[in-house]
Amino acid sequence: MDRHGESASNYGDAKYWDDNARKHGYRVDNTPTPGSIAQTDAGRYGHVAVVDSVHGSTVTVEDYNWAGDGHYLVHDLNKGDFRYIHFYN
């Protein structure tokens, strides 16, 4: 995000990213694209991940802390469980 003039610190907890991105004029929708941010309000803080690729009803994402352990992970998720923030595309 920093390379594109945005800072994650401007968006608060992950559960607020979709609302804050809309306020900053970014497109937020239900259509994942590589490079978009997958966002959910689920859990105490929500969660965000970077979309790597889209495969039918799943998306492959890269993120940290999916399991609450702070580790980096590449994994597949149900694309319908997220909103998608298009900072770059």
Side-chain angles (χ1 to χ4, degrees), residues 56-67:
S57 64
T58 64
V59 291
T60 301
V61 299
E62 298 179 46
D63 60 7
Y64 285 89
N65 209 33
W66 177 254

Side-chain angles (χ1 to χ4, degrees), residues 47 63-73:
H47 193 78
D63 60 7
Y64 285 89
N65 209 33
W66 177 254
D69 58 8
H71 291 110
Y72 172 77
L73 186 63

Side-chain angles (χ1 to χ4, degrees), residues 30-83:
N30 295 319
T31 306
T33 56
S36 62
I37 303 296
Q39 183 274 340
T40 180
D41 294 348
R44 183 173 179 186
Y45 300 107
H47 193 78
V48 291
V50 177
V51 175
D52 179 67
S53 55
V54 182
H55 315 279
S57 64
T58 64
V59 291
T60 301
V61 299
E62 298 179 46
D63 60 7
Y64 285 89
N65 209 33
W66 177 254
D69 58 8
H71 291 110
Y72 172 77
L73 186 63
V74 176
H75 55 119
D76 292 329
L77 300 170
N78 180 339
K79 76 177 182 181
D81 291 344
F82 294 84
R83 281 172 294 284

